[in-house]
Amino acid sequence: MKTKPIVARARANEDVEEAIAHYLAEDAAAAALGFIDALERAYAYVGRLPHAGSQRYAHELDIPGLRSWPLKRYPHVVFYVERDEHIDVWRVLHTQRDLPASLVG
């Protein structure tokens, strides 16, 4: 099975930068590094097995193909759509946010 490359949208990259900035502002550099590691593992996993992600929000928001995958040990979820040649990462959201509103807003 071929691993698909991850292509993160600008909003997803902004989400990641905000999360890292939050951990650093809390003087938690180790947590920031752990977040990056967890994100890289999640990206690698969905690149190999894109159908493993939950389709809950695809049905709830009527966005065909939208899937989500949670980060391990961090309260963030990766939202993505599988494309023919890559994984299109839409957002990386903290679970305390209004996830549906953040996805369609």
Side-chain angles (χ1 to χ4, degrees), residues 38-75:
L39 181 63
E40 288 176 350
R41 284 193 311 269
Y43 280 178
Y45 188 82
V46 300
R48 283 190 316 274
L49 299 168
H51 293 290
S54 170
Q55 292 182 307
R56 172 187 171 189
Y57 292 99
H59 298 297
E60 187 175 319
L61 301 173
D62 195 26
I63 303 173
L66 182 67
R67 291 183 181 268
S68 62
W69 189 258
L71 298 189
K72 292 196 188 285
R73 297 189 339 248
Y74 288 85

Side-chain angles (χ1 to χ4, degrees), residues 15-31:
D15 295 335
V16 170
E17 290 172 13
E18 286 176 18
I20 293 168
H22 169 75
Y23 288 121
L24 293 176
E26 295 294 319
D27 201 24

Side-chain angles (χ1 to χ4, degrees), residues 65-86:
L66 182 67
R67 291 183 181 268
S68 62
W69 189 258
L71 298 189
K72 292 196 188 285
R73 297 189 339 248
Y74 288 85
H76 291 80
V77 180
V78 176
F79 290 92
Y80 65 94
V81 174
E82 180 182 11
R83 304 291 185 202
D84 289 339
E85 299 297 321
H86 67 279

